[in-house]
Amino acid sequence: MTENRERWAIIRWQCGAMMQAERLNPEASYRALQTRDARFDGRLFVGVISTGIYCRPICPARTPKFENCRFFPSAAAAQEAGFRPCLRCRPETAPNLGSWRGTSNTVSRGLALIAEGALDGDQASVEVLAGRLGVGGRQLRRLFKQHLGVSPIAIAQTRRVLFAKQLIHDTRMPMTEIAIAAGFGSLRRFNETFQRLFRRPPSALRRKAVASLPEGSVGAIGVTLRLRYRPPYDWPAMLTHLQAHAVAGVECVGNEVYRRTVWQDGQLGTVEIGHLPEYESLVVTIRFPSVRALPAIVGRIRRVFDLGADVAAIGAHLAQDPLLAPLVAERPGLRVAGSWDGFELAVRTALGHQSTVEPARRLVSRLVRLCGTPLPRELCVGTTLMMCFPTAANILAANLAPLDIPSARKTTLMALAKANLGDPSLFQPLTTIDDTVTRLRAIPGIGEWTARYIALHALHEPDAFPAYDIALRRGATGLDCQRPSPAGLNDRAEPWRPWRAYAAQHLWAADAAWQSASHTTARRQPIASSTTANPSVIA
Ligand SMILES: [Zn+2]
């Protein structure tokens, strides 16, 4: 216990130091740079006036003089101030913690949408993006300025350059495909931007080492990227969760790798995600016919695998509570798994109504066989990946009789599909949980708990906390051996804000461990919302 306390005292101190960097105290920032302190990577960028280059704090280059340094909270802020990315420390590979900041949900959601290409293309604008987030354009600009120090447009421009730079560096994709994938309107604009920023054409940035990589388009051979996270990362817990919920034909886990089929903008493909602990990264291979979809697919992967979270800082905050301290110490890298697709999650939840994980999973697999879209043969991986999850249109057109489910549940499935066709943004993480719950409740057959469950997981909200969940309350029994009421647990959880979703993961994991230790028959997973596929049975 003493050891734990000391460990967390150190992490709390480190966390405090990071928060200081958030305010960008120049002296503290310079010390981080001098010591090449990896804890500031992704949070702090250093522009060097004498060279015009900006770096990560861990850059191996000689430390510049203090008076030549300018410190920025984001790569975009450094770039907007006129600095260009360093070719040695490669700011595009810093852990992307933008979605984690937790200070403004609107900013986090906006960043996620921009990362998926919301400000690319001629039709896109800050006004349209703001509309999707339920705020005005001026308000969105103000929020971005306040939290990130730059405008949404500057964030989008930096993202394009850094994503293109990663593709140039790590793949043999043709330059024309990279220009499209990164969201540049044309090859000319792509070339001009690189010439201006790096004073050389994009092709000059390509490493000789990539010559050994297979050559070809993303559709033919796939593209492999590394996505960095900030350690620790509990990869076994994440894989166990994904395996427990995997739908046959659509997704599978084998040899420490997660694979699934992807439907994006009417086209089909696959993704494959493994872990490279030595690089603090996930390695992702995407096979997809259109390079335009790359940012959106990468965005989904980041959400499902919770790559934007700084779990050390979150854990340090949660461990101030003696109930959570030992749990956080035991599983420091636990993350909140996101859902791949909101509609898919809603269908799975509605179909699994009042069942446990395993029967629900079998039923969903039958639905997929019944009306999923077959993957083109060249993309199939044996018999494990051969179908894409049904779209709303697939379900509406299908005869669901062979599923052998109560007619009320069939009606709910159809109503979900109709609602999604009528409002494609219904299940997207754009608004608040309460707003989504209200809209979902309007669908026949969707009750309060089901709506809340879907909203919580589809929105990937770091502060969501389903205090009504029985497994969660059991997990919180802890210190005084009393199981809290939902209201009592809500009160107890107040200081855990803004990361109550992470506290919930720890409580569920603790409950799972206690349940399996006491040899009950209940099946539990380390990262799971609860053992039931639908919270109605535990309400
Ligand atoms: Zn550098």
Side-chain angles (χ1 to χ4, degrees):
M1 198 61 194
T2 317
E3 216 172 274
N4 269 344
R5 216 173 292 149
E6 277 171 16
R7 185 158 170 256
W8 286 112
I10 292 169
I11 293 185
R12 261 204 297 282
W13 174 82
Q14 290 171 341
C15 183
M18 285 181 214
M19 296 310 171
Q20 229 175 344
E22 205 92 292
R23 290 199 298 274
L24 295 187
N25 170 316
E27 282 76 25
S29 299
Y30 191 69
R31 277 197 297 279
L33 180 65
Q34 276 177 315
T35 52
R36 301 203 168 90
D37 192 330
R39 287 171 295 136
F40 292 84
D41 197 15
R43 262 173 208 292
L44 174 67
F45 295 86
V46 187
V48 185
I49 297 169
S50 47
T51 60
I53 286 170
Y54 75 93
C55 285
R56 295 156 68 185
I58 57 153
C59 186
R62 198 160 54 88
T63 310
K65 287 191 185 124
F66 177 72
E67 58 269 28
N68 286 337
C69 293
R70 293 291 174 274
F71 301 100
F72 301 95
S74 66
Q79 212 151 297
E80 197 182 49
F83 295 96
R84 60 185 189 278
C86 172
L87 295 177
R88 285 186 74 183
C89 64
R90 304 182 58 208
E92 71 274 17
T93 62
N96 182 349
L97 301 174
S99 57
W100 166 78
R101 287 171 198 267
T103 36
S104 161
N105 288 332
T106 307
V107 172
S108 297
R109 297 200 176 106
L111 281 171
L113 286 175
I114 292 171
E116 292 174 20
L119 286 180
D120 299 340
D122 296 334
Q123 306 299 319
S125 74
V126 174
E127 299 301 325
V128 174
L129 173 66
R132 288 174 71 182
L133 294 163
V135 296
R138 269 181 62 184
Q139 192 187 353
L140 189 66
R141 285 191 197 89
R142 189 184 54 73
L143 284 170
F144 265 66
K145 194 81 194 164
Q146 179 189 339
H147 292 288
L148 303 168
V150 281
S151 67
I153 293 287
I155 294 276
Q157 281 164 346
T158 307
R159 183 203 67 79
R160 280 196 281 273
V161 168
L162 295 185
F163 189 51
K165 196 159 162 287
Q166 183 176 19
L167 293 175
I168 293 168
H169 203 268
D170 294 345
T171 75
R172 279 186 82 184
M173 275 170 72
M175 291 300 162
T176 41
E177 283 197 2
I178 290 178
I180 297 166
F184 288 94
S186 67
L187 186 61
R188 200 188 49 141
R189 207 177 296 170
F190 172 55
N191 284 331
E192 279 171 5
T193 305
F194 270 71
Q195 194 68 48
R196 181 167 45 78
L197 264 175
F198 299 99
R199 296 175 195 156
R200 63 192 93 177
S203 55
L205 296 172
R206 189 146 255 179
R207 292 180 306 154
K208 288 196 179 67
V210 299
S212 60
L213 295 173
E215 191 174 18
S217 67
V218 179
I221 54 136
V223 59
T224 298
L225 296 171
R226 281 183 199 167
L227 303 180
R228 194 181 290 250
Y229 58 76
R230 179 187 286 279
Y233 195 108
D234 195 337
W235 180 246
M238 181 60 80
L239 272 192
T240 306
H241 167 76
L242 291 169
Q243 187 154 33
H245 294 80
V247 172
V250 174
E251 45 186 346
C252 66
V253 174
N255 296 327
E256 301 272 294
V257 172
Y258 171 77
R259 296 180 177 83
R260 76 161 287 150
T261 59
V262 177
W263 185 96
Q264 184 77 40
D265 304 328
Q267 292 182 300
L268 313 177
T270 63
V271 293
E272 192 177 301
I273 296 113
H275 189 207
L276 293 175
E278 65 276 31
Y279 293 101
E280 297 170 355
S281 301
L282 299 190
V283 57
V284 171
T285 299
I286 301 168
R287 294 183 182 84
F288 204 80
S290 161
V291 291
R292 270 182 217 283
L294 275 187
I297 294 173
V298 169
R300 280 173 193 257
I301 294 170
R302 295 188 59 85
R303 197 163 62 228
V304 171
F305 289 88
D306 196 16
L307 290 180
D310 186 344
V311 286
I314 294 170
H317 174 74
L318 297 179
Q320 292 172 42
D321 188 316
L323 173 68
L324 295 179
L327 308 185
V328 174
E330 198 169 329
R331 299 178 187 86
L334 203 57
R335 299 190 180 232
V336 179
S339 69
W340 183 265
D341 177 81
F343 176 68
E344 177 180 318
L345 173 81
V347 168
R348 290 163 83 137
T349 309
L351 209 51
H353 186 69
Q354 297 198 336
S355 2
T356 49
V357 171
E358 190 50 37
R361 184 169 81 143
R362 283 200 299 270
L363 193 54
V364 177
S365 299
R366 272 166 46 210
L367 175 78
V368 168
R369 281 199 298 278
L370 192 68
C371 61
T373 311
L375 206 59
R377 187 171 299 173
E378 64 275 15
L379 285 173
C380 288
V381 179
T383 53
T384 51
L385 286 193
M386 47 196 308
M387 301 291 277
C388 270
F389 198 86
T391 61
N394 286 149
I395 289 180
L396 278 179
N399 168 18
L400 300 179
L403 274 187
D404 198 21
I405 50 174
S407 62
R409 213 173 302 175
K410 255 180 246 165
T411 311
T412 305
L413 273 193
M414 291 294 185
L416 274 173
K418 258 189 214 139
N420 191 48
L421 275 185
D423 177 5
S425 72
L426 183 60
F427 301 104
Q428 284 176 18
L430 301 179
T431 52
T432 65
I433 286 196
D434 289 338
D435 182 37
T436 305
V437 167
T438 308
R439 293 196 293 159
L440 291 174
R441 284 296 308 275
I443 300 171
I446 300 290
E448 174 73 17
W449 299 129
T450 311
R452 211 154 265 289
Y453 179 89
I454 295 169
L456 192 156
H457 287 272
L459 267 51
H460 200 57
E461 164 65 58
D463 200 30
F465 192 71
Y468 51 81
D469 185 285
I470 186 76
L472 194 62
R473 282 159 51 210
R474 268 201 313 259
T477 299
L479 301 177
D480 51 5
C481 294
Q482 292 258 325
R483 186 187 299 172
S485 65
L489 186 54
N490 261 333
D491 287 348
R492 178 74 201 254
E494 207 45 41
W496 304 341
R497 285 178 185 276
W499 293 306
R500 294 182 306 169
Y502 291 84
Q505 293 303 327
H506 282 289
L507 294 174
W508 275 317
D511 178 58
W514 290 329
Q515 295 292 320
S516 68
S518 59
H519 301 292
T520 61
T521 50
R523 291 163 140 244
R524 294 178 185 284
Q525 304 303 330
I527 303 181
S529 47
S530 79
T531 51
T532 44
N534 184 303
S536 304
V537 290
I538 44 167

